[in-house]
Amino acid sequence: MDEVKLERVKDPQGTTETLRVTGGVTICEARDFREALLATLEEAPEVRVDVSALTGIDLTGLQLLCSAHQSALRRGKTLHIFDGGNATFREAANGAGFQRHTGCPQDRACSCIWVGGES
Amino acid sequence: MAKVIMTADDSASVRQMVTFTLKQGGYDVVEAVDGKDALQKLANTKVDMLITDLNMPNLDGIGLIKGARALASCKFIPIVMLTTESQDSKKQEGKAAGATGWIVKPFKPEQLMAVVKKVLG
Amino acid sequence: MIDLHRQAFKEEAYELLAELESSLLELEERPDDQDLIGRVFRAMHTIKGSGSMFGFDDIASFTHEVETVFDMVRNGKLTVTSRLVNLTLAARDQIRAMLDAADSGAETDLQASAGIIVGLRELAGFGAGGQAAPERREEAAPQKKDPVTYRIRFVPPRDIFITGTNPLNLLAEMKELGTCTVVAQTDGFPPLEEMDPEGCYVYWDVILTTDQGENAVRDIFIFVEDDCDLKIEVVAEHSRYDEQQDYKKLGEILLERGDITPDEMKAVLSRQKRFGELAVSEGILPEGKVNSALAEQKHVKEVRQEKQVADASSSIRVPAERLDLLVNLVGEMVTVQARLSQTAALRDDAELMAIAEEVERLTAELRDSALNIRMLPIGSTFSKFKRLVRDLSAELGKQIEMTTEGEETELDKTVIEKLNDPLVHLIRNSIDHGIELPEAREAAGKPARGTVHLAAVHSGDSVLITIADDGAGLDKEAIRGKGIERGIISASAELSEKELFNLIFAPGFSTAKTVSSISGRGVGMDVVKRAIEALRGSIDITSVRGQGTRITVKIPLTLAIIESLLVKIGNDAFMLPLAMVDECVELTREDVARSHGRNLARVREHLVPYIPLRRHFRIAGAPPEIEQIVITQVNGMRVGFVVDHVIGEHQTVIKSLGRAYKDTEGISGATILGDGSVALILDVPQLVQAAEVAQN
């Protein structure tokens, strides 16, 4: 798997911060990934996680994304996933059974990050 | 890039069979003749999976599993132990040491491949 | 390839044995050396393990004995003595001999092996019966089963990743077993800052439909089942007869899963809203639980739908009533179609006639398919009887061959089922009372082996099933005597042969001198007769003493729509089964006069007897100048029926006559014509028979 790269990019207005994840996120990088997500959540009210150039993600990565979303909601912030149609990411999420609207006790606004089972 | 599997066994014939089967299955194989040899090689080689015998001189299988799990590169890799049926308690010991699963001897090449596929995905 | 590995093992084993020899000799010097003991144990262990891997089973099981003893030594349960060393050295030599013998085909001295084993077991302190070598587990062939839907809740341990297990691989394995819906549950997730990035927090609800059985599902979790929380439940079985499509209600699923209590459910149900939405908005359940249950509902419905599509392409079970309804509707349609054709012909409207023809063609196809659905060849029933004949003749010491004919003859499925018991009884009778013992047959100049011939043939609107044997035939005097004895007939009664034979269908009649286990126990021929009559069939018996008996069962195709010839006498319409009709010829007044009152017509140099139906049915009025003779073929005999006019071919839905007309001679049924009038269907064989009787 390609080495993971975690880049944080602030947009000019400063309300949104993007965490761009490239390469493969595995359990070996899970610690780094969590720190990056936490730091990004601290920084901005709106967080965008760009996984469009992701080449692989394992269960720990998916768990962290889901938990980050739940944490954002608790803090009254928003977190979006931008996958740009990345098939690898969608397949990984689907294969692990992560589907929209499922299992999230926090999500009252139907903002669940996961791709819908129907699409 | 082919995945790399290490086979640690003091029996040359078992090593030969395991290596042959895995290579046929498209894997690269690193051989080790006992636990000590295996640990030394693991320190320098990154492997995706370890298949180890339990009864080996110098360092036995349980010791190897513990040692491997202590290495950062082997913390999360699947480790499968080869056991004989008389060693059922060894399965538990192996699991406690960090083994992912086991293969009971005697096994056929297909059974080996099935387990490799099961744990390696 | 195996040979390559075997060779490698042999080389390795020879090396180990050489090393073993020196270790053993050293061990005799230093019996407490743990290192040496370990080395001996490992050598034996490797020879056993690897030997079994490469097919050296004899070596493996023999070595196992030595290994067991050294395991005890290793654990301090046994001390090294020179006797142990001697025995082990002998064992070592024996293994070497076995290795030499392997692949060369030479025999090894099993006696020597046994001697060593006994010696070792004595040393170890257990008898000759001791610990047996590891048995090879028999691998049961996986059986193909009906698919079953399982609900699997898989909660992996938090630390599953550090044992090298990737739960996603387990999910992937489940997907390989069948149709699989995976729902990840994330309700146990801590906030990001508290989450151990290397821990596993997610758990899954999996709905899996597979025909591999529950063990195949459990096998997936073999390495983790002791550590994880795994619940596998059957939620639906999809048998071949699965006709349901609906699945459990959402609340039921959640209740079954234990996600909701009955009280909670009641509280939710008391509000008229969608259950799932309510349960979530009331805060009783996290949405994930509801969605997982919804996924199960959807999954099972989809599996059932797919299954129905798959079934439809192979075969499908339909309740018989539905088929009856279809056949009835088709019958009505045939009638309406006849009316359409008739009307079209009368109007002389080319366009309408074209349509009518098209409808006629389609109706004929529809009729054939509708009837075909219920029809089954009688052959499968016949083949069951072969077994019966075989078993019974063996039991009775008779030699009997069963021959069959007309297996392809199709009959309505329900008729076939109901025919089974009467036919079994008739065949049993033939075997028991009809066919003689081999000696008796030979004495009578017949082959020792008797024959029971079973035949089925379509005859007009009926199927005739005959059971003919070449046995002793019926004993008229015995029947008569028994009839008198049982009080069925009076001693002075004058009976025709037919009437006499019919006595055997009287209740409680049995002519066999001894009651055997085959027939004559309770069930008599009267029961057979009643069963056949219940199918609106008839049973007929002919027999020649010494030559055999022939029983003919005639079963009408009550549901059938038959092709028939419509004729008219005066204003009355009649039908003759087309299958029996040979041809039609004219009959003029001159012809009648020429035959001098005998009912015979000359047709191409042959004389054909005929029955004037107008007279037979006492229909008033005068016949036309030129009448028509419909010549039929019955039992190989040509017989004519005189009618006024031949109208033409017709498709006829047979409506059975009411009880009042049941015994009307010469009529087998009725049908409704296109114009709504009724036509009677002639029972041709019966009319012929009646005419014969009248003539005699």
Side-chain angles (χ1 to χ4, degrees):
Chain A
M1 224 177 268
D2 308 323
E3 207 154 307
V4 70
K5 249 168 63 187
L6 301 159
E7 293 170 279
R8 287 166 57 195
V9 188
K10 233 188 188 115
D11 82 330
Q13 284 86 42
T15 50
T16 307
E17 189 163 316
T18 299
L19 176 65
R20 191 173 149 76
V21 192
T22 51
V25 191
T26 68
I27 192 164
C28 300
E29 294 83 36
R31 253 165 234 290
D32 297 342
F33 188 38
R34 188 184 76 139
E35 294 318 311
L37 282 168
L38 273 173
T40 317
L41 263 181
E42 282 301 318
E43 269 324 288
E46 269 179 54
V47 173
R48 191 165 164 270
V49 184
D50 180 352
V51 294
S52 59
L54 201 84
T55 56
I57 184 162
D58 71 1
L59 199 52
T60 58
L62 294 168
Q63 280 188 151
L64 288 170
L65 279 176
C66 195
S67 172
H69 178 241
Q70 292 185 23
S71 294
L73 290 171
R74 274 200 204 94
R75 298 179 192 195
K77 297 188 175 190
T78 58
L79 183 143
H80 306 287
I81 303 270
F82 172 72
D83 67 11
N86 184 338
T88 308
F89 176 76
R90 290 190 176 182
E91 272 165 33
N94 251 322
F98 284 88
Q99 283 149 348
R100 187 182 287 281
H101 300 176
T102 66
C104 187
Q106 313 301 330
D107 190 10
R108 288 277 169 269
C110 293
S111 62
C112 179
I113 52 175
W114 304 114
V115 276
E118 64 279 350
S119 66
Chain B
M1 205 175 63
K3 289 194 171 168
V4 185
I5 302 176
M6 173 182 278
T7 165
D9 206 310
D10 59 329
S11 163
S13 59
V14 173
R15 268 201 325 272
Q16 179 188 300
M17 185 267 209
V18 170
T19 302
F20 183 84
T21 306
L22 294 176
K23 282 192 171 165
Q24 290 253 298
Y27 297 101
D28 283 343
V29 185
V30 179
E31 291 189 30
V33 298
D34 58 35
K36 202 171 147 199
D37 183 32
L39 265 189
Q40 275 164 3
K41 285 177 173 151
L42 282 175
N44 306 315
T45 325
K46 174 147 177 30
V47 304
D48 297 286
M49 179 180 172
L50 169 63
I51 299 172
T52 176
D53 191 20
L54 285 183
N55 259 290
M56 293 185 291
N58 299 321
L59 181 66
D60 73 357
I62 304 291
L64 169 59
I65 294 167
K66 285 180 184 158
R69 284 290 182 228
L71 295 169
S73 64
C74 295
K75 196 170 172 188
F76 302 114
I77 65 164
I79 300 178
V80 169
M81 49 192 166
L82 303 182
T83 67
T84 56
E85 269 168 276
S86 54
Q87 289 173 300
D88 214 47
S89 59
K90 285 273 178 184
K91 271 184 205 165
Q92 299 314 316
E93 206 184 322
K95 284 267 332 192
T100 312
W102 55 85
I103 305 175
V104 176
K105 283 196 272 191
F107 55 86
K108 298 194 192 92
E110 309 84 78
Q111 291 168 306
L112 172 67
M113 285 312 292
V115 172
V116 170
K117 196 173 163 275
K118 180 180 178 65
V119 298
L120 214 45
Chain C
M1 203 39 55
I2 298 290
D3 286 347
L4 185 77
H5 298 319
R6 279 175 75 94
Q7 199 49 46
F9 167 73
K10 280 173 83 172
E11 282 166 23
E12 177 183 13
Y14 283 128
E15 271 175 43
L16 284 167
L17 288 174
E19 200 188 301
L20 184 65
E21 191 168 35
S22 51
S23 300
L24 283 169
L25 294 174
E26 275 183 65
L27 193 59
E28 200 161 27
E29 311 276 306
R30 289 174 278 131
D32 297 325
D33 191 326
Q34 283 302 313
D35 194 38
L36 277 174
I37 294 168
R39 231 188 287 169
V40 172
F41 173 80
R42 264 201 311 280
M44 290 299 181
H45 186 76
T46 302
I47 291 170
K48 181 188 87 169
S50 305
S52 67
M53 295 265 312
F54 305 112
F56 297 87
D57 293 341
D58 52 342
I59 293 178
S61 58
F62 177 75
T63 314
H64 172 78
E65 301 281 345
V66 194
E67 185 204 2
T68 307
V69 173
F70 267 85
D71 195 31
M72 293 174 77
V73 177
R74 202 168 59 142
N75 296 326
K77 289 178 190 157
L78 207 65
T79 49
V80 177
T81 58
S82 62
R83 171 145 172 74
L84 176 64
V85 173
N86 284 341
L87 271 170
T88 313
L89 278 171
R92 177 238 167 240
D93 294 344
Q94 184 66 14
I95 295 169
R96 215 192 135 84
M98 287 164 114
L99 272 173
D100 291 340
D103 298 333
S104 74
E107 294 281 315
T108 43
D109 188 353
L110 293 175
Q111 211 69 42
S113 298
I116 295 165
I117 289 172
V118 168
L120 283 169
R121 284 183 179 171
E122 273 171 18
L123 264 188
F126 34 76
Q131 272 183 314
E135 275 174 42
R136 283 188 169 249
R137 269 180 298 179
E138 291 291 320
E139 277 168 48
Q143 274 185 322
K144 196 87 181 154
K145 298 170 196 135
D146 280 331
V148 173
T149 298
Y150 299 94
R151 173 197 296 152
I152 301 149
R153 182 162 284 180
F154 169 46
V155 186
R158 179 70 42 85
D159 64 353
I160 191 168
F161 298 124
I162 61 158
T163 58
T165 302
N166 184 349
L168 296 185
N169 291 344
L170 304 179
L171 297 179
E173 275 191 75
M174 278 192 274
K175 286 175 190 165
E176 279 173 24
L177 282 186
T179 315
C180 191
T181 304
V182 180
V183 178
Q185 295 289 8
T186 57
D187 55 324
F189 280 22
L192 191 56
E193 48 271 51
E194 289 166 29
M195 188 179 241
D196 172 3
E198 291 170 4
C200 185
Y201 294 89
V202 64
Y203 65 95
W204 289 273
D205 283 328
V206 179
I207 310 299
L208 170 65
T209 303
T210 177
D211 55 9
Q212 307 284 308
E214 187 174 328
N215 281 339
V217 181
R218 289 210 175 269
D219 278 352
I220 292 176
F221 299 95
I222 181 164
F223 295 152
V224 294
E225 63 184 347
D226 291 343
D227 314 314
C228 73
D229 192 352
L230 180 68
K231 208 159 79 183
I232 302 179
E233 295 166 293
V234 174
V235 292
E237 288 176 41
H238 310 275
S239 72
R240 286 177 51 204
Y241 316 121
D242 200 0
E243 271 152 14
Q244 289 170 278
Q245 247 200 42
D246 282 339
Y247 185 58
K248 291 165 194 151
K249 295 208 164 60
L250 188 60
E252 273 177 78
I253 300 174
L254 288 162
L255 202 61
E256 269 184 25
R257 294 178 171 204
D259 287 343
I260 192 169
T261 67
D263 284 346
E264 284 169 333
M265 190 164 96
K266 248 181 250 158
V268 176
L269 280 177
S270 64
R271 319 270 294 272
Q272 298 288 312
K273 236 203 200 180
R274 289 186 68 174
F275 183 87
E277 286 169 28
L278 258 170
V280 173
S281 64
E282 295 284 306
I284 292 169
L285 282 173
E287 203 172 347
K289 291 275 184 359
V290 174
N291 280 315
S292 169
L294 279 171
E296 174 178 325
Q297 212 177 31
K298 188 165 160 241
H299 175 101
V300 174
K301 278 186 188 168
E302 277 171 5
V303 166
R304 285 186 174 159
Q305 265 165 21
E306 265 172 46
K307 183 131 177 52
Q308 285 187 339
V309 172
D311 282 351
S313 61
S314 48
S315 70
I316 166 172
R317 276 176 74 100
V318 176
E321 309 89 74
R322 281 199 227 166
L323 281 185
D324 289 347
L325 181 65
L326 176 68
V327 170
N328 274 335
L329 285 173
V330 169
E332 301 289 332
M333 186 153 159
V334 167
T335 306
V336 172
Q337 174 266 314
R339 257 173 89 179
L340 175 64
S341 298
Q342 211 172 348
T343 312
L346 284 174
R347 294 268 168 89
D348 199 16
D349 180 335
E351 203 182 336
L352 185 61
M353 271 161 77
I355 296 170
E357 269 172 37
E358 187 69 12
V359 173
E360 192 175 331
R361 186 182 62 78
L362 287 173
T363 311
E365 278 179 31
L366 181 63
R367 176 206 61 190
D368 290 347
S369 336
L371 288 179
N372 254 327
I373 295 173
R374 291 185 59 104
M375 300 299 252
L376 285 176
I378 201 166
S380 59
T381 308
F382 278 12
S383 54
K384 270 195 296 189
F385 296 153
K386 284 211 160 133
R387 176 68 195 275
L388 175 80
V389 171
R390 189 192 149 277
D391 292 355
L392 288 189
S393 50
E395 194 176 322
L396 291 168
K398 295 180 179 179
Q399 293 174 19
I400 302 171
E401 185 185 11
M402 189 173 94
T403 54
T404 55
E405 192 186 330
E407 289 97 331
E408 72 289 344
T409 307
E410 287 192 329
L411 258 174
D412 192 283
K413 181 179 171 290
T414 49
V415 175
I416 287 188
E417 284 165 2
K418 288 182 179 150
L419 263 179
N420 187 65
D421 286 353
L423 288 182
V424 165
H425 203 79
L426 290 171
I427 292 169
R428 288 184 160 197
N429 251 297
S430 281
I431 296 169
D432 199 20
H433 304 309
I435 307 282
E436 315 90 327
L437 287 165
E439 311 83 65
R441 290 181 63 88
E442 273 171 345
K446 293 199 276 191
R449 173 178 290 264
T451 305
V452 174
H453 185 71
L454 199 56
V457 65
H458 269 287
S459 166
D461 60 349
S462 305
V463 168
L464 299 178
I465 298 167
T466 51
I467 300 122
D469 66 61
D470 63 350
L474 295 176
D475 183 341
K476 281 186 234 171
E477 283 317 303
I479 293 171
R480 196 186 161 79
K482 186 73 95 181
I484 295 165
E485 184 194 316
R486 295 282 157 104
I488 301 167
I489 52 168
S490 67
S492 60
E494 292 277 335
L495 294 177
S496 70
E497 187 181 75
K498 205 171 191 65
E499 286 166 325
L500 206 51
F501 288 162
N502 272 329
L503 285 183
I504 67 168
F505 296 117
F509 191 94
S510 170
T511 56
K513 300 216 170 58
T514 53
V515 175
S516 74
S517 68
I518 312 302
S519 57
R521 191 168 277 173
V523 190
M525 290 284 268
D526 56 319
V527 175
V528 172
K529 189 170 195 226
R530 275 209 301 277
I532 300 290
E533 279 172 350
L535 292 168
R536 267 177 282 169
S538 62
I539 187 162
D540 188 52
I541 191 161
T542 58
S543 180
V544 177
R545 189 78 188 131
Q547 284 180 30
T549 305
R550 169 188 290 263
I551 294 169
T552 306
V553 175
K554 182 181 171 189
I555 300 294
L557 300 168
T558 50
L559 273 171
I561 300 172
I562 58 166
E563 295 276 349
S564 55
L565 189 71
L566 178 64
V567 300
K568 278 206 152 175
I569 303 167
N571 286 323
D572 296 330
F574 294 92
M575 299 275 194
L576 289 102
L578 198 60
M580 293 185 176
V581 175
D582 264 5
E583 60 182 318
C584 298
V585 297
E586 289 184 349
L587 180 70
T588 61
R589 292 256 160 103
E590 290 80 59
D591 294 331
V592 178
R594 230 181 289 145
S595 61
H596 306 292
R598 289 179 304 152
N599 290 334
L600 287 172
R602 181 170 293 275
V603 183
R604 291 186 300 274
E605 308 311 313
H606 289 285
L607 286 176
V608 178
Y610 58 76
I611 300 164
L613 286 179
R614 182 179 276 276
R615 206 188 310 156
H616 184 91
F617 289 121
R618 297 190 194 94
I619 296 166
E625 275 296 310
I626 302 170
E627 293 174 282
Q628 304 285 331
I629 308 176
V630 180
I631 299 173
T632 62
Q633 180 111 19
V634 182
N635 298 328
M637 202 170 66
R638 272 158 68 88
V639 177
F641 291 89
V642 181
V643 301
D644 288 3
H645 305 285
V646 172
I647 309 294
E649 289 175 27
H650 205 275
Q651 290 176 1
T652 306
V653 188
I654 301 176
K655 303 272 180 191
S656 54
L657 293 168
R659 200 166 275 280
Y661 301 96
K662 206 179 128 217
D663 295 322
T664 311
E665 296 260 319
I667 302 294
S668 65
T671 188
I672 298 161
L673 296 177
D675 62 4
S677 65
V678 172
L680 295 173
I681 300 165
L682 299 179
D683 188 340
V684 175
Q686 202 184 23
L687 283 168
V688 171
Q689 204 179 26
E692 277 175 354
V693 170
Q695 213 163 17
N696 297 340

